[in-house]
């Protein structure tokens, strides 16, 4: 595709109340001006970007300047090297594999360790809790130590935690080991997303982000299908060993990944001050929390809904894995549409898919209905989430890793809240009302994401200086 026809994507002002004071890149509804100078590697600001930039008031902490408008970028300068993208995809794949592999093994692990299901469930819930809480910690470390260094340190720790999981003699050790694994694997996805934000211009950033989404979805699908089979026919300990071995390999292999340039670190908590002073950051975090609740929170109950209809756990797991298939397929479509469709249009299409999916699940919990539901949810995730994620990478360029980590924290908090609230209705098999609620919540999610992004884009056009 001609680079002159690209639309911009993420990055923008820190304060929606003062759009004229920003120089962020916009996802304009029309083509970029082909007469403008090339952006180079995507970090140099155009001369017009400084117009209207307001100095902070006396005594006011400086706000991270938004990214410069994304001008036409030559293809040779916009692409992330294939080898680098492969390493980032592998890191995201292994993180998602480890995060989702325990779900189909819970009953088997409990039986072999001689503990009830609520006890072994602590290994899963402890993992998810540690995974979410460590997002801002790794984000802060990434802004101070570097993206690649943090990924290598965290993956080395994850390999050790995986080994402890394999050798766990009882449930207590397993619970602690899984919580540690969640804490260490929490760095990989956010750091890989931030790396792309650092190295790829906003105009074409969503393409490699879609590649990452594909790897993440593949990790989820493979974990759901492979873990149950290996645990049943070989051993659940082998399942934990696989991501451990991959993490150890990547901790070494990532030394080939060049460290992107970043601003010199200041005070320890300075990145949080930069991020949390941005009103758009708060807005996007609120959207992410609602998205996590609507999609990830209710997605958890697809398999139990099938089992409540008499389906086997194996079939329910296989149907759930189709979410990853739908996400991978849609990610390839999104990659081709970036630059042709505006971010608002991508979000709306994703929201429509999610609403249709949950509406179908509310109408029928049959196997064919839930097969279509999971495929549509995967498609909705790729269209909406990758677009919001790309938006989040440019809100606080001076503290990008911390900003992305706070975005991730909001997403996982929303997911956890929705899962907890929906547990009661699910226990009584009230799945019709549960999925209908999810379908209705998709409406404010889509409106908030689309309207917010449209206003953001209008406030960050380069011609508003």
């Amino acid at each position: 595709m001609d680079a002159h026809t690209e639309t911009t994507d993420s990055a923008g002002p820190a304060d929606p109340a003062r759009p004229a004071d920003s120089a962020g890149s916009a996802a304009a509804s029309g083509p970029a001006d082909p007469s403008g100078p090339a952006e180079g590697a995507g970090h140099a600001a155009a001369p017009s970007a400084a117009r209207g930039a307001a100095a902070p008031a006396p005594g006011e902490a400086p706000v991270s300047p938004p990214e410069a408008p994304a001008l036409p970028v030559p293809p040779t300068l916009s692409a992330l090297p294939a080898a680098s993208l492969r390493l980032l995809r592998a890191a995201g794949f292994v993180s998602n594999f480890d995060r989702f592999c325990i779900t189909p093994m819970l009953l088997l692990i409990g039986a072999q360790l001689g503990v009830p299901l609520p006890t072994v469930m602590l290994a899963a819930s402890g993992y998810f809790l540690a995974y979410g809480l460590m997002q801002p910690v790794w984000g802060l470390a990434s802004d101070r130590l570097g993206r690649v260094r943090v990924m290598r340190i965290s993956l080395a720790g994850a390999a050790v935690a995986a080994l402890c999981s394999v050798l766990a003699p009882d449930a207590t050790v397993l619970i602690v080991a899984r919580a540690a694994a969640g804490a260490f694997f929490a760095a990989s996805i956010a750091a890989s997303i931030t790396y792309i934000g650092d190295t790829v211009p906003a105009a074409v950033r969503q393409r490699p982000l879609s590649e990452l989404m594909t790897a993440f979805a593949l990790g989820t699908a493979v974990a759901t299908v492979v873990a149950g089979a290996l645990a049943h026919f070989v051993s659940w300990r082998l399942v934990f060993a696989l991501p451990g071995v991959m993490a150890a390999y990547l901790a070494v292999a990532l030394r080939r990944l060049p460290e992107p340039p970043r601003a010199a670190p200041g005070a320890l908590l300075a990145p949080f001050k930069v991020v949390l002073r941005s009103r758009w950051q708060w807005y996007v975090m609120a959207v992410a929390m609602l998205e996590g609740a609507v999609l990830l929170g209710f997605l958890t109950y697809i398999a139990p809904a099938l089992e409540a209809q008499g389906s086997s756990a194996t079939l329910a797991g296989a149907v759930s894995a189709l979410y990853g298939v739908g996400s991978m397929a849609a990610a390839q479509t999104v990659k081709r549409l970036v630059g042709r469709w505006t971010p608002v249009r991508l979000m709306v299409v994703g929201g429509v898919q999610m609403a249709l999916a949950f509406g179908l699940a509310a109408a029928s919990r049959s196997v064919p209905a839930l097969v279509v539901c999971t495929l549509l949810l995967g498609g909705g995730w790729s269209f909406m989430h990758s677009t919001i994620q790309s938006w989040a990478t440019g809100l606080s360029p001076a503290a990008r890793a911390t900003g992305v980590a706070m975005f991730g924290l909001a997403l996982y908090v929303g997911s956890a809240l929705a899962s907890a609230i929906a547990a009661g209705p699910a226990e009584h098999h009230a799945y019709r009302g549960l999925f209908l609620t999810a379908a209705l919540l998709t409406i404010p999610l889509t409106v908030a994401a689309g309207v917010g992004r449209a206003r953001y884009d209008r406030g960050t056009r380069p011609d508003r200086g």
Side-chain angles (χ1 to χ4, degrees):
M1 192 190 317
D2 190 337
H4 291 170
T5 64
E6 302 286 358
T7 56
T8 59
D9 198 77
S10 306
D15 188 346
R18 298 186 298 175
D21 293 343
S22 66
S25 65
S29 59
D33 181 6
S35 64
E39 186 182 308
H43 300 289
S48 62
R51 294 183 305 188
E60 182 179 325
V63 179
S64 171
E67 289 185 305
L71 298 174
V73 181
T76 56
L77 296 176
S78 64
L80 187 70
S84 297
L85 185 57
R86 281 196 297 270
L87 288 171
L88 295 175
R89 292 180 65 185
F93 172 90
V94 69
S95 177
N96 258 22
F97 183 98
D98 192 75
R99 182 150 51 110
F100 288 97
C101 69
I102 194 171
T103 305
M105 305 190 299
L106 289 171
L107 290 175
L108 184 59
I109 292 174
Q112 293 192 4
L113 294 182
V115 295
L117 181 60
T119 300
V120 75
M121 271 294 296
L122 293 175
S125 58
Y127 186 106
F128 298 142
L129 179 63
Y131 192 98
L133 294 178
M134 284 299 291
Q135 292 295 316
V137 176
W138 286 120
L140 181 62
S142 180
D143 278 332
R144 296 187 67 83
L145 303 177
R147 322 310 187 201
V148 178
R149 187 177 181 186
V150 160
M151 279 194 283
R152 295 187 66 193
I153 292 172
S154 63
L155 286 168
V160 174
L163 177 62
C164 293
S165 301
V166 171
L167 302 177
D170 53 41
T172 301
V173 175
L174 180 64
I175 291 168
V176 173
R178 294 314 295 158
F184 282 112
F185 272 117
S188 296
I189 288 180
S192 61
I193 291 169
T194 305
Y195 189 97
I196 287 178
D198 287 341
T199 57
V200 180
V204 290
R205 187 176 296 157
Q206 195 168 345
R207 290 176 181 169
L209 283 177
S210 294
E211 293 281 356
L212 284 187
M213 295 300 117
T214 301
F216 302 163
L218 181 62
T220 302
V222 172
T224 307
V225 175
V226 172
L230 283 179
H232 180 76
F233 294 106
V234 185
S235 171
W236 57 266
R237 298 180 187 273
L238 176 61
V239 176
F240 291 138
L242 293 178
V245 171
M246 291 182 64
Y249 165 76
L250 287 171
V252 177
L254 281 169
R255 65 184 177 182
R256 301 195 301 268
L257 190 65
E259 185 73 64
R262 67 186 189 281
L268 180 62
L269 298 180
F272 284 108
K273 293 180 180 179
V274 170
V275 168
L276 298 181
R277 285 182 62 85
S278 166
R279 295 182 185 180
W280 276 118
Q281 181 78 43
W282 282 102
Y283 186 90
V284 173
M285 285 169 58
V287 171
M289 183 176 291
L290 183 56
E291 183 193 26
V294 172
L295 183 56
L296 298 182
F298 290 97
L299 174 67
T300 308
Y301 294 100
I302 296 294
L306 266 175
E307 293 183 73
Q309 302 296 314
S311 298
S312 66
T314 302
L315 177 59
V319 172
S320 297
L322 293 176
Y323 162 79
V325 175
S327 181
M328 286 185 288
Q332 301 308 307
T333 302
V334 171
K335 187 170 61 173
R336 291 192 297 268
L337 293 176
V338 171
R340 299 180 181 178
W341 286 15
T342 64
V344 173
R345 188 176 182 183
L346 290 170
M347 291 177 184
V348 170
V349 170
V352 169
Q353 291 181 74
M354 291 161 57
L356 289 175
F358 284 124
L360 181 60
S364 173
R365 266 75 63 204
S366 65
V367 172
L370 292 185
V371 164
V372 177
C373 170
T374 52
L375 290 172
L376 284 173
L377 288 177
W381 173 263
S382 289
F383 272 82
M384 177 174 281
H385 181 73
S386 67
T387 309
I388 300 174
Q389 187 105 66
S390 183
W391 185 8
T393 62
L395 295 173
S396 303
R400 197 189 308 274
T402 302
V404 171
M406 294 300 292
F407 171 87
L409 177 62
L411 184 77
Y412 299 128
V413 167
S415 171
L417 288 175
S419 295
I421 294 172
E427 186 177 7
H428 296 91
H429 294 177
Y431 291 109
R432 181 179 183 276
L434 191 151
F435 292 133
L436 181 59
T437 300
L440 293 175
L441 286 175
T442 301
I443 298 173
L445 168 63
T446 306
V447 171
V451 172
R453 182 59 200 247
R455 290 186 60 189
Y456 175 88
D457 290 342
R458 285 197 299 270
T460 57
R461 287 175 184 161
D463 60 359
R464 290 182 59 95

